[in-house]
């Protein structure tokens, strides 16, 4: 018999001739089968079959079954609970089981699985986290190592059967459809590497039942759900590791089943999965309720009347979306703000071990080149996946003016080419800005940064690369105070990338960027920055900027500066 490595879920239907019993068998390793059945009257039902535990290298291959209530989704019988009370000492490989359980009239789902597990599992010891190892419970199942050929021949005979008065087979799919047909949102049977977002709108304050199952360990979530206010992006619900309960099977299977109350508004239900352990393929024992791997939300009673089709707020459309940023990229977009307004900034990037930002965003005033916002490490929160995935989300006020939004990445770990676990929202890698109030949307206009012309601009020599000497000439018709912005490289009291200004009428250098008049410019210590005003007499001037053979714009050999697009020199008229 060929062993299949991928999970196959079979929804089986029995003929009317088997109306008094249901049975599952012929399960491959890493496979789960489901059979629905109904009980027409309350009473005892018999559960019997042949399970097994086989050694397979450093893991165990366990054949076992369980029953859940199709409406409440709670476990009503589990083979593991039966085994801990039975004395089958000396058994090895397959073992018989025969039990009874009292079931109320209703609908049920029978499961039979052949799943791999680590050793040292003990459900009774761990209770709420009942997956830590199989040792004490399973020691009596082993006396010697079984050969692979024995396992393959034995597994053909493994099964679980339920029989009793009033037991009748049913289609488990109909139970799932019935349970979810009136749900506000139901995202279930989620597979690897998926991302879902579904909206709904409430016309008044509403109590909702939230049921979500996912994966988490060591304080982090990998498959999980959250709900956001579509207008403000505020997370009104999140499947948090600390507040989740054990969902059966492997210890990392977690669930939440709780009531929340949300005010009138529009909301987005989100669910994300990583690249392993999902309804598509389990790499450890699956949860008890495998079909609800995802999130489902219900309203009950009169609150159902408050739920209407999703009405997307106009503010959902971003003013700026520099996302899906890839390695070694620097992207920018300009916006003109005609009236002071509040905006929401969301920036998702990478933090290095030294608490420096490797992939990050910032906003500058286009007319003054002053930085008005930057993604700061101390404000960043974990963005899911690898610990270095970090995000900042906050509301800021932008006064009337022109702004340029930037996002830059280093040479590794970005959208489409992660070198570690990706964040929960990989498509948001970058910076996004939304208006808070719908009325403000008419007060924003985009522009292309490369086409922007500052009315106070005298000379701009920026984004300078290695081994360059660039220059630009300008004139002032009267004595003028100018602001000089210089960003370059220096260490040990010397400058290697720097700028200077020469009076062409006198031939004298009137200003030069040196180590002493500059300050640290962010990133590597050798990044030096100058930002001060200088008085220039009436006349003609030439601005120069010179670089050496390393560490310049987009050719950094150490951490780049905070405003890397300013690498060079900028001269602006001051105060007009």
């Amino acid at each position: 018999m060929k062993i299949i490595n991928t999970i196959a879920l079979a929804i089986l239907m029995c003929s009317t001739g088997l109306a008094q019993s249901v049975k599952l068998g012929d399960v491959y390793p890493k496979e789960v089968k489901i059979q629905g059945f109904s009980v027409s009257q309350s009473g005892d039902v018999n559960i019997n079959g042949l399970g097994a535990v086989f050694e397979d290298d450093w893991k165990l291959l366990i054949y076992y079954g369980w029953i859940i209530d199709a409406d409440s989704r709670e476990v009503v019988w589990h083979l593991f609970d039966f085994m801990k009370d039975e004395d089958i000492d000396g058994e090895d490989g397959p073992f018989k089981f025969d039990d009874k359980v009292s079931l109320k009239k209703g609908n049920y789902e029978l499961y039979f699985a052949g799943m791999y597990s680590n050793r040292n599992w003990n459900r009774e010891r761990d209770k709420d986290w009942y997956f830590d190892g199989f040792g004490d419970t399973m020691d009596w199942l082993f006396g010697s190592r079984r050969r692979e050929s024995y396992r393959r021949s034995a597994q053909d005979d493994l099964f679980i059967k339920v029989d009793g008065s009033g037991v009748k087979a049913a289609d488990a799919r109909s139970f799932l459809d019935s349970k979810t047909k009136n749900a506000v949102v139901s995202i279930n049977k989620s597979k690897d590497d998926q991302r879902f977002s579904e909206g709904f709108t409430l016309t008044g304050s509403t109590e909702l039942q939230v049921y979500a199952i996912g994966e988490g360990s060591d304080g982090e979530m990998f498959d999980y759900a959250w709900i956001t206010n579509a207008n403000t992006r505020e997370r009104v619900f999140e499947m948090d590791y600390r507040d989740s309960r054990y969902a059966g099977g492997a210890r990392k299977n977690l669930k939440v089943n709780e009531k929340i109350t949300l005010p009138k508004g529009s909301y987005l239900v989100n669910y994300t999965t990583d690249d392993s352990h999902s309804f598509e393929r389990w790499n450890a024992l699956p949860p008890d309720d495998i079909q609800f791997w995802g999130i489902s939300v219900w309203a009950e009673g009169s609150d159902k009347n408050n739920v209407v089709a999703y009405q997307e707020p106009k503010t959902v459309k971003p003013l700026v979306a520099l996302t899906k940023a890839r390695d070694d990229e620097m992207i920018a977009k300009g916006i003109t703000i005609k009236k002071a307004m509040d905006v929401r900034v969301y920036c998702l990037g990478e933090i290095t071990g030294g608490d420096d930002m490797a992939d990050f965003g910032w906003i500058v005033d286009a007319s003054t080149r002053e930085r008005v916002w930057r993604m700061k490490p101390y404000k960043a929160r974990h963005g899911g996946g690898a610990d270095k995935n970090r995000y900042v989300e906050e509301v800021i006020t932008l006064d009337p003016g022109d702004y340029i939004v930037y996002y830059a990445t280093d040479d590794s770990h970005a959208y489409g080419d992660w070198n570690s676990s990706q964040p929960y929202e990989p498509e948001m890698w970058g910076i996004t800005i939304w208006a808070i109030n719908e009325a403000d949307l008419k007060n924003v206009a985009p522009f292309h940064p490369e086409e922007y012309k500052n009315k106070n601009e005298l000379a701009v020599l920026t984004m300078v690369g290695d081994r360059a000497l660039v220059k630009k000439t300008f004139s002032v018709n009267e004595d003028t105070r100018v602001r000089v912005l210089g960003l370059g490289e220096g260490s040990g009291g010397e400058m290697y990338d720097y700028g200077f200004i020469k009076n062409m009428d006198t031939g004298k250098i009137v200003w030069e960027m040196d180590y002493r008049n500059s300050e640290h410019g962010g990133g590597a210590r050798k990044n030096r920055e100058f930002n001060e005003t200088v008085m220039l007499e009436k006349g003609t001037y030439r601005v120069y900027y010179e670089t050496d053979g390393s560490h310049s714009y987009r050719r950094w050999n150490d951490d780049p500066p905070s405003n890397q697009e300013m690498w060079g020199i900028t001269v602006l008229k001051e105060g007009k």
Side-chain angles (χ1 to χ4, degrees), residues 80-117:
F80 292 159
D81 290 322
F82 167 79
M83 289 193 317
K84 66 182 174 59
D85 295 326
E86 292 298 302
D87 181 14
I88 42 181
D89 190 24
E91 293 290 342
D92 183 9
F95 60 90
K96 293 181 179 180
F97 58 91
D98 193 347
D99 196 17
K100 283 188 177 181
V101 65
S102 180
L103 297 182
K104 296 179 181 179
K105 177 182 177 181
N107 297 319
Y108 298 88
E109 294 170 13
L110 173 67
Y111 292 80
F112 194 57
M115 287 290 159
Y116 286 97
S117 161

Short mmCIF file of all heavy atoms in Angstrom, two decimals, residues 80-117:
data_model
loop_
_atom_site.label_atom_id
_atom_site.label_comp_id
_atom_site.label_asym_id
_atom_site.label_seq_id
_atom_site.Cartn_x
_atom_site.Cartn_y
_atom_site.Cartn_z
N PHE A 80 -8.38 9.00 23.33
CA PHE A 80 -7.31 9.23 24.30
C PHE A 80 -7.85 9.22 25.72
O PHE A 80 -7.18 8.76 26.65
CB PHE A 80 -6.61 10.57 24.02
CG PHE A 80 -5.82 10.59 22.74
CD1 PHE A 80 -5.49 11.79 22.13
CD2 PHE A 80 -5.40 9.42 22.13
CE1 PHE A 80 -4.76 11.82 20.96
CE2 PHE A 80 -4.68 9.43 20.96
CZ PHE A 80 -4.35 10.64 20.36
N ASP A 81 -9.08 9.75 25.92
CA ASP A 81 -9.68 9.71 27.25
C ASP A 81 -9.99 8.27 27.66
O ASP A 81 -9.81 7.89 28.81
CB ASP A 81 -10.97 10.53 27.26
CG ASP A 81 -10.71 12.02 27.15
OD1 ASP A 81 -9.72 12.49 27.75
OD2 ASP A 81 -11.48 12.71 26.46
N PHE A 82 -10.46 7.50 26.70
CA PHE A 82 -10.76 6.08 26.98
C PHE A 82 -9.49 5.31 27.32
O PHE A 82 -9.46 4.53 28.27
CB PHE A 82 -11.45 5.45 25.77
CG PHE A 82 -11.53 3.96 25.82
CD1 PHE A 82 -12.50 3.34 26.59
CD2 PHE A 82 -10.64 3.17 25.10
CE1 PHE A 82 -12.58 1.95 26.64
CE2 PHE A 82 -10.71 1.79 25.14
CZ PHE A 82 -11.69 1.17 25.92
N MET A 83 -8.40 5.53 26.59
CA MET A 83 -7.17 4.75 26.76
C MET A 83 -6.56 4.93 28.13
O MET A 83 -6.00 4.00 28.70
CB MET A 83 -6.16 5.11 25.68
CG MET A 83 -6.55 4.61 24.31
SD MET A 83 -5.21 4.69 23.11
CE MET A 83 -4.49 6.27 23.43
N LYS A 84 -6.63 6.13 28.69
CA LYS A 84 -5.93 6.35 29.96
C LYS A 84 -6.61 5.59 31.12
O LYS A 84 -6.02 5.41 32.17
CB LYS A 84 -5.86 7.84 30.29
CG LYS A 84 -7.19 8.50 30.58
CD LYS A 84 -6.98 9.99 30.84
CE LYS A 84 -8.29 10.74 31.00
NZ LYS A 84 -9.12 10.25 32.08
N ASP A 85 -7.86 5.13 30.88
CA ASP A 85 -8.55 4.39 31.92
C ASP A 85 -8.50 2.87 31.70
O ASP A 85 -9.01 2.10 32.50
CB ASP A 85 -10.03 4.82 31.97
CG ASP A 85 -10.17 6.27 32.40
OD1 ASP A 85 -9.34 6.72 33.21
OD2 ASP A 85 -11.10 6.94 31.92
N GLU A 86 -7.91 2.45 30.60
CA GLU A 86 -7.91 1.04 30.27
C GLU A 86 -6.55 0.39 30.55
O GLU A 86 -5.51 1.01 30.42
CB GLU A 86 -8.26 0.86 28.78
CG GLU A 86 -9.69 1.22 28.46
CD GLU A 86 -10.68 0.34 29.20
OE1 GLU A 86 -10.63 -0.89 29.03
OE2 GLU A 86 -11.50 0.88 29.96
N ASP A 87 -6.60 -0.87 30.88
CA ASP A 87 -5.38 -1.64 31.10
C ASP A 87 -5.17 -2.56 29.90
O ASP A 87 -5.77 -3.61 29.79
CB ASP A 87 -5.50 -2.47 32.38
CG ASP A 87 -4.23 -3.27 32.65
OD1 ASP A 87 -3.20 -2.96 31.99
OD2 ASP A 87 -4.28 -4.17 33.49
N ILE A 88 -4.33 -2.11 28.97
CA ILE A 88 -4.00 -2.95 27.82
C ILE A 88 -2.48 -3.14 27.78
O ILE A 88 -1.83 -3.05 26.76
CB ILE A 88 -4.54 -2.35 26.51
CG1 ILE A 88 -4.33 -0.85 26.46
CG2 ILE A 88 -5.99 -2.69 26.31
CD1 ILE A 88 -4.87 -0.23 25.19
N ASP A 89 -1.93 -3.36 28.96
CA ASP A 89 -0.49 -3.52 29.12
C ASP A 89 0.00 -4.68 28.26
O ASP A 89 -0.61 -5.74 28.19
CB ASP A 89 -0.18 -3.80 30.59
CG ASP A 89 1.31 -3.74 30.86
OD1 ASP A 89 2.01 -3.06 30.09
OD2 ASP A 89 1.74 -4.37 31.82
N GLY A 90 1.09 -4.44 27.58
CA GLY A 90 1.70 -5.46 26.76
C GLY A 90 1.31 -5.37 25.30
O GLY A 90 1.91 -6.04 24.47
N GLU A 91 0.27 -4.57 24.99
CA GLU A 91 -0.11 -4.41 23.60
C GLU A 91 0.97 -3.63 22.84
O GLU A 91 1.63 -2.77 23.40
CB GLU A 91 -1.45 -3.66 23.49
CG GLU A 91 -2.63 -4.42 24.05
CD GLU A 91 -3.00 -5.60 23.18
OE1 GLU A 91 -2.58 -5.63 22.01
OE2 GLU A 91 -3.70 -6.50 23.68
N ASP A 92 1.12 -3.95 21.56
CA ASP A 92 2.13 -3.29 20.74
C ASP A 92 1.56 -3.18 19.34
O ASP A 92 1.11 -4.18 18.76
CB ASP A 92 3.40 -4.15 20.74
CG ASP A 92 4.51 -3.48 19.94
OD1 ASP A 92 4.36 -2.32 19.55
OD2 ASP A 92 5.54 -4.15 19.74
N GLY A 93 1.58 -1.96 18.77
CA GLY A 93 0.98 -1.77 17.46
C GLY A 93 -0.52 -1.61 17.59
O GLY A 93 -1.00 -0.77 18.33
N PRO A 94 -1.32 -2.41 16.89
CA PRO A 94 -2.79 -2.29 16.97
C PRO A 94 -3.32 -2.69 18.35
O PRO A 94 -2.76 -3.56 19.02
CB PRO A 94 -3.28 -3.25 15.89
CG PRO A 94 -2.12 -3.44 14.97
CD PRO A 94 -0.91 -3.36 15.84
N PHE A 95 -4.41 -2.07 18.76
CA PHE A 95 -5.08 -2.43 20.00
C PHE A 95 -6.58 -2.19 19.85
O PHE A 95 -7.01 -1.29 19.14
CB PHE A 95 -4.53 -1.64 21.19
CG PHE A 95 -4.68 -0.15 21.05
CD1 PHE A 95 -5.82 0.50 21.51
CD2 PHE A 95 -3.68 0.61 20.45
CE1 PHE A 95 -5.96 1.88 21.38
CE2 PHE A 95 -3.81 1.98 20.31
CZ PHE A 95 -4.95 2.62 20.77
N LYS A 96 -7.37 -3.04 20.50
CA LYS A 96 -8.82 -2.93 20.42
C LYS A 96 -9.33 -1.93 21.46
O LYS A 96 -8.72 -1.75 22.51
CB LYS A 96 -9.47 -4.30 20.64
CG LYS A 96 -9.19 -5.30 19.55
CD LYS A 96 -9.89 -6.62 19.85
CE LYS A 96 -9.63 -7.64 18.74
NZ LYS A 96 -10.30 -8.94 19.00
N PHE A 97 -10.46 -1.33 21.14
CA PHE A 97 -11.14 -0.49 22.12
C PHE A 97 -12.64 -0.71 21.98
O PHE A 97 -13.15 -0.99 20.89
CB PHE A 97 -10.78 0.99 21.98
CG PHE A 97 -11.07 1.60 20.64
CD1 PHE A 97 -12.29 2.20 20.37
CD2 PHE A 97 -10.10 1.57 19.63
CE1 PHE A 97 -12.55 2.77 19.13
CE2 PHE A 97 -10.35 2.13 18.39
CZ PHE A 97 -11.58 2.73 18.13
N ASP A 98 -13.35 -0.63 23.10
CA ASP A 98 -14.80 -0.84 23.13
C ASP A 98 -15.35 -0.01 24.28
O ASP A 98 -14.97 -0.21 25.44
CB ASP A 98 -15.11 -2.33 23.34
CG ASP A 98 -16.57 -2.66 23.05
OD1 ASP A 98 -17.38 -1.71 22.94
OD2 ASP A 98 -16.89 -3.85 22.94
N ASP A 99 -16.23 0.94 23.95
CA ASP A 99 -16.69 1.88 24.97
C ASP A 99 -18.14 2.26 24.70
O ASP A 99 -18.69 1.98 23.62
CB ASP A 99 -15.79 3.12 24.96
CG ASP A 99 -15.93 3.97 26.21
OD1 ASP A 99 -16.46 3.46 27.22
OD2 ASP A 99 -15.49 5.14 26.19
N LYS A 100 -18.76 2.93 25.66
CA LYS A 100 -20.10 3.48 25.51
C LYS A 100 -20.09 4.94 25.92
O LYS A 100 -19.33 5.34 26.80
CB LYS A 100 -21.10 2.72 26.38
CG LYS A 100 -21.52 1.38 25.86
CD LYS A 100 -22.64 0.80 26.70
CE LYS A 100 -23.11 -0.53 26.13
NZ LYS A 100 -24.24 -1.08 26.94
N VAL A 101 -20.95 5.72 25.29
CA VAL A 101 -21.09 7.12 25.67
C VAL A 101 -22.55 7.50 25.51
O VAL A 101 -23.23 7.03 24.59
CB VAL A 101 -20.19 8.04 24.82
CG1 VAL A 101 -20.60 8.04 23.37
CG2 VAL A 101 -20.21 9.47 25.37
N SER A 102 -23.03 8.33 26.41
CA SER A 102 -24.42 8.79 26.34
C SER A 102 -24.48 10.05 25.49
O SER A 102 -23.79 11.04 25.79
CB SER A 102 -24.96 9.08 27.74
OG SER A 102 -26.30 9.53 27.68
N LEU A 103 -25.28 10.02 24.43
CA LEU A 103 -25.42 11.17 23.54
C LEU A 103 -26.85 11.67 23.55
O LEU A 103 -27.80 10.89 23.53
CB LEU A 103 -25.02 10.79 22.11
CG LEU A 103 -23.58 10.36 21.86
CD1 LEU A 103 -23.36 10.06 20.38
CD2 LEU A 103 -22.60 11.43 22.34
N LYS A 104 -26.98 12.99 23.53
CA LYS A 104 -28.30 13.59 23.41
C LYS A 104 -28.77 13.52 21.96
O LYS A 104 -27.96 13.38 21.04
CB LYS A 104 -28.26 15.05 23.87
CG LYS A 104 -27.91 15.23 25.33
CD LYS A 104 -27.87 16.72 25.68
CE LYS A 104 -27.50 16.93 27.14
NZ LYS A 104 -27.43 18.38 27.48
N LYS A 105 -30.05 13.64 21.76
CA LYS A 105 -30.59 13.72 20.42
C LYS A 105 -29.93 14.89 19.69
O LYS A 105 -29.83 15.99 20.23
CB LYS A 105 -32.11 13.93 20.48
CG LYS A 105 -32.76 14.10 19.12
CD LYS A 105 -34.26 14.34 19.28
CE LYS A 105 -34.91 14.58 17.92
NZ LYS A 105 -36.38 14.83 18.05
N GLY A 106 -29.46 14.66 18.46
CA GLY A 106 -28.80 15.73 17.72
C GLY A 106 -27.89 15.19 16.63
O GLY A 106 -27.94 14.02 16.26
N ASN A 107 -27.03 16.08 16.16
CA ASN A 107 -26.11 15.76 15.06
C ASN A 107 -24.67 15.71 15.58
O ASN A 107 -24.27 16.54 16.41
CB ASN A 107 -26.22 16.79 13.95
CG ASN A 107 -27.60 16.80 13.32
OD1 ASN A 107 -28.19 15.75 13.09
ND2 ASN A 107 -28.12 17.99 13.03
N TYR A 108 -23.87 14.79 15.01
CA TYR A 108 -22.51 14.57 15.48
C TYR A 108 -21.58 14.32 14.29
O TYR A 108 -22.02 13.98 13.19
CB TYR A 108 -22.46 13.39 16.46
CG TYR A 108 -23.29 13.64 17.70
CD1 TYR A 108 -24.64 13.29 17.72
CD2 TYR A 108 -22.72 14.23 18.82
CE1 TYR A 108 -25.42 13.54 18.85
CE2 TYR A 108 -23.49 14.47 19.96
CZ TYR A 108 -24.84 14.13 19.97
OH TYR A 108 -25.60 14.39 21.07
N GLU A 109 -20.29 14.46 14.56
CA GLU A 109 -19.28 14.17 13.56
C GLU A 109 -18.27 13.19 14.15
O GLU A 109 -17.72 13.43 15.23
CB GLU A 109 -18.56 15.46 13.12
CG GLU A 109 -19.47 16.43 12.38
CD GLU A 109 -18.83 17.79 12.15
OE1 GLU A 109 -17.59 17.91 12.34
OE2 GLU A 109 -19.56 18.74 11.79
N LEU A 110 -18.04 12.09 13.42
CA LEU A 110 -17.08 11.06 13.82
C LEU A 110 -15.79 11.27 13.03
O LEU A 110 -15.84 11.46 11.81
CB LEU A 110 -17.66 9.68 13.53
CG LEU A 110 -16.73 8.48 13.74
CD1 LEU A 110 -16.38 8.31 15.22
CD2 LEU A 110 -17.38 7.21 13.18
N TYR A 111 -14.65 11.23 13.71
CA TYR A 111 -13.35 11.42 13.07
C TYR A 111 -12.46 10.20 13.31
O TYR A 111 -12.48 9.60 14.39
CB TYR A 111 -12.65 12.65 13.65
CG TYR A 111 -13.29 13.96 13.30
CD1 TYR A 111 -14.41 14.41 14.00
CD2 TYR A 111 -12.79 14.77 12.28
CE1 TYR A 111 -15.01 15.61 13.68
CE2 TYR A 111 -13.39 15.97 11.95
CZ TYR A 111 -14.50 16.39 12.66
OH TYR A 111 -15.10 17.58 12.34
N PHE A 112 -11.67 9.86 12.29
CA PHE A 112 -10.64 8.83 12.45
C PHE A 112 -9.41 9.31 11.70
O PHE A 112 -9.50 9.77 10.55
CB PHE A 112 -11.12 7.49 11.89
CG PHE A 112 -10.25 6.33 12.32
CD1 PHE A 112 -10.04 6.05 13.67
CD2 PHE A 112 -9.66 5.49 11.39
CE1 PHE A 112 -9.26 4.98 14.07
CE2 PHE A 112 -8.87 4.41 11.78
CZ PHE A 112 -8.68 4.16 13.13
N ALA A 113 -8.25 9.26 12.37
CA ALA A 113 -7.03 9.86 11.82
C ALA A 113 -5.83 8.95 12.05
O ALA A 113 -5.78 8.18 13.01
CB ALA A 113 -6.77 11.22 12.47
N GLY A 114 -4.86 9.06 11.15
CA GLY A 114 -3.54 8.46 11.33
C GLY A 114 -2.52 9.59 11.29
O GLY A 114 -2.23 10.12 10.22
N MET A 115 -2.01 9.98 12.45
CA MET A 115 -1.18 11.18 12.53
C MET A 115 0.14 10.91 13.25
O MET A 115 0.20 10.11 14.18
CB MET A 115 -1.93 12.29 13.28
CG MET A 115 -3.04 12.91 12.47
SD MET A 115 -2.37 13.89 11.11
CE MET A 115 -3.79 13.95 10.03
N TYR A 116 1.16 11.65 12.81
CA TYR A 116 2.47 11.58 13.44
C TYR A 116 2.52 12.51 14.64
O TYR A 116 1.92 13.59 14.64
CB TYR A 116 3.57 11.95 12.46
CG TYR A 116 3.85 10.87 11.44
CD1 TYR A 116 3.27 10.93 10.16
CD2 TYR A 116 4.66 9.79 11.75
CE1 TYR A 116 3.52 9.94 9.23
CE2 TYR A 116 4.91 8.79 10.83
CZ TYR A 116 4.33 8.87 9.57
OH TYR A 116 4.58 7.88 8.65
N SER A 117 3.29 12.07 15.63
CA SER A 117 3.44 12.86 16.85
C SER A 117 4.84 12.66 17.40
O SER A 117 5.47 11.62 17.17
CB SER A 117 2.41 12.42 17.90
OG SER A 117 2.80 12.83 19.18
#
